[in-house]
Amino acid sequence: MENEQHHSPAYRALLLAGTRLKPLQQVHAHLIVSGSGRIRSLLTKLLSLACAAASITYTRRLFFAIPVPDSFLFNTVIVKTSKLGFSIDSLLFYRRMILSNISPSNYTLTAVIKSCADLSALEVGRVIHGHVLVSGYDLDSHVQAALVSFYAKAGDLGVARKVFDKMPDRTVVAWNSIISAYEQNGFAKEAIGLFYLMRDLGVEPDSATCVIVLAACAQSGDIGLGNWVHEYVVGQDFDVNVILGTSLINMYARCGHVSRAREVFDLMMESNVVAWTAMISGYGMHGYGTQAVELFNQMRAHGLRPNRITFVAVLSACAHAGLVHEGRHVFASMKQEYRLVPGVEHHVCMVDMFGRAGLLNEAYQFIKEVIREKPAPAVWTAMLGACKMHKNFDLGVEIAEHLLSVEPENPGHYVMLSNIYALAGRMDRVEMVRNMMISKSLKKEVGYSTVEIDQRTYLFSMGDKSHPETNQIYRYLDELMSRCREAGYVPESESVMHEVEEEEREFALRYHSEKLAIAFGLMKTSDGMAIRIVKNLRMCEDCHSAIKYISVVANREIIVRDRLRFHHFKDGSCSCLDYW
DNA sequence: CTAGGGTTAG
């Protein structure tokens, strides 16, 4: 009987219609007219095709027209909607299934857990985890892997780890889930550690492992492992598809090798908006604004439609390269040509762009005129950065005070305000802001820098004395800085703020983490080798100026990646052209 | 008769 139906004209008509909505609806109409509109197998097939046609409305209509859906129909609709990203719908169908007293299968459960992950719906996910335990599917490896990634995405890394630790059978996918969990939550080092553990246990990485590990390399600046993964990909003859290719581009760009990123980009067989955006962003963070804009135009010429993220990448590339004219043009095209509504992130880029270029009036006007609604705090923060950079104290103080009233728990605003007071010489105010922070028990984010030497990473924090060679490092740095002073470097005591006591300020400034990391790098590597630093925060003006001098007196190329971008220091100047 | 892990910004 089944077979007969599969070869029936109606079934073949469905297959022929495929995932195109109109033809499907025509076949559907035909089914109803011919009286076969109630046959389960046909309805199921129709339902899954409707869903694959990405029409959630039609899928809903179809499903609700079925009087008593069986578990097969529920499974089909839940699995398909979850897979296509209709997460809320898949959860609603799941609820109906439970209310109809139909037990979910392990397939249903993995699908709804994935939906919860996509929605970061921690509470709903916990309830479903309960269903998993009740139904006895807690030992199913698919369900477990889904749970691990769900908890990681919903922000509970601890539970993700617990689920992983209980898995009896750790497949590559299980390892991929937990490694990705750490990477996504900002623990790149731990992710890499787990990757090495996985290899030691004899589990062969697959291409998804490579994608995840490349992301961890990009995050931590681990070019050594990044290169290894690339070689592994080639050695294993993995297909460098868009996802893997994009991961390689991202890794090379974030590890400071833009040209290698470009080589990968040029060799990719297929590419999409995401790949182009990754490459554009890579140029942007190295200050290659012209190349970023050029690539953006090539992308459009290829007929690809840029998305919101693409525009963030291009606009921020313009901001970091002083390309005000181009930035204006791109922003206009976003609205006019692509009918995209600029969001806060784009406004921030624009204000930042004007601000860096010293066009404070344009920045302010942009806020007043272009941003109709109440400007978001992030927009004011960008404006504030511009005020500080170009020493407009009055406006800066005004904005900072506004930000403090809107976001009184954000330590960054206090630090900015205090820095502006310090620049203006109002040390009494500096003290006041400092006391406000203390009374609210807010802490400035701790800065650290890492440097890689012989495949090993060394971490330094400000005034760090934990390193076994501390004394030599400090002596070396002192000697280095005095040579810089002889060459004309003048330390600024302005931007160091109140994380330390008054008398320690000079000390703190002299021993910012990047300076320590550079000193150590210079000590441990031979002449001619570039020093690569990764810093979690933005560099301060003083370090930026000091490193220019260090690049001269030590005759070394120094490459620093800070929170926002790359700075290539060479022969006394920086690639950011002080557009930082 | 279907599933789990993987790509771009800030």
Side-chain angles (χ1 to χ4, degrees), chain A residues 385-401:
Chain A
C387 290
K388 176 172 175 268
M389 191 186 295
H390 299 286
K391 308 208 184 332
N392 187 330
F393 303 130
D394 293 341
L395 185 56
V397 168
E398 194 185 309
I399 295 172
E401 283 174 349

Side-chain angles (χ1 to χ4, degrees), chain A residues 187-228:
Chain A
F187 299 102
K189 282 272 160 257
E190 288 76 3
I192 289 170
L194 280 166
F195 167 70
Y196 286 131
L197 181 61
M198 164 189 152
R199 294 223 63 207
D200 289 345
L201 293 172
V203 181
E204 275 286 299
D206 65 6
S207 74
T209 321
C210 293
V211 170
I212 299 160
V213 174
L214 286 169
C217 295
Q219 196 186 123
S220 62
D222 192 338
I223 183 67
L225 181 57
N227 280 328
W228 184 90

Side-chain angles (χ1 to χ4, degrees), chain A residues 411-412 415 437 442-448 499 536-537 563:
Chain A
V415 174
M437 272 187 91
L442 295 174
K443 283 202 178 76
K444 189 178 185 289
E445 200 177 341
V446 181
Y448 61 84
E499 58 267 24
N536 67 331
L537 303 176
R563 171 167 283 193

Side-chain angles (χ1 to χ4, degrees), chain A residues 281-299:
Chain A
S281 145
Y283 280 133
M285 69 176 87
H286 285 270
Y288 302 141
T290 315
Q291 284 90 330
V293 173
E294 199 180 290
L295 201 64
F296 174 67
N297 289 329
Q298 281 179 31
M299 170 183 162

Side-chain angles (χ1 to χ4, degrees), chain A residues 180-333:
Chain A
S180 176
Y182 279 92
E183 190 278 322
Q184 286 175 348
N185 283 280
F187 299 102
K189 282 272 160 257
E190 288 76 3
I192 289 170
L194 280 166
F195 167 70
Y196 286 131
L197 181 61
M198 164 189 152
R199 294 223 63 207
D200 289 345
L201 293 172
V203 181
E204 275 286 299
D206 65 6
S207 74
T209 321
C210 293
V211 170
I212 299 160
V213 174
L214 286 169
C217 295
Q219 196 186 123
S220 62
D222 192 338
I223 183 67
L225 181 57
N227 280 328
W228 184 90
V229 173
H230 195 177
E231 283 165 23
Y232 182 81
V233 164
V234 174
Q236 296 289 307
D237 208 19
F238 285 155
D239 173 33
V240 181
N241 60 14
V242 222
I243 297 180
L244 190 47
T246 305
S247 308
L248 284 165
I249 292 171
N250 189 41
M251 181 278 292
Y252 278 126
R254 299 188 94 96
C255 289
H257 297 271
V258 219
S259 56
R260 270 197 253 171
R262 182 59 195 251
E263 283 167 26
V264 174
F265 179 78
D266 287 336
L267 285 173
M268 277 168 67
M269 300 301 284
E270 46 163 342
S271 66
N272 60 10
V273 205
V274 182
W276 285 77
T277 303
M279 193 61 235
I280 291 169
S281 145
Y283 280 133
M285 69 176 87
H286 285 270
Y288 302 141
T290 315
Q291 284 90 330
V293 173
E294 199 180 290
L295 201 64
F296 174 67
N297 289 329
Q298 281 179 31
M299 170 183 162
R300 302 203 291 183
H302 277 254
L304 282 165
R305 187 185 156 82
N307 62 24
R308 311 179 60 80
I309 302 177
T310 316
F311 279 102
V312 173
V314 187
L315 292 174
S316 96
C318 290
H320 284 283
L323 302 177
V324 175
H325 175 74
E326 291 81 349
R328 272 203 175 103
H329 186 74
V330 168
F331 186 74
S333 81

Side-chain angles (χ1 to χ4, degrees), chain A residues 101 122 195 207 234 244 246 319 328 402 409 413 421 425 440 473 575:
Chain A
N101 264 321
L122 190 57
F195 167 70
S207 74
V234 174
L244 190 47
T246 305
R328 272 203 175 103
H402 165 72
E409 304 301 316
H413 299 331
Y421 279 137
K440 285 182 170 290
I473 297 169
S575 65

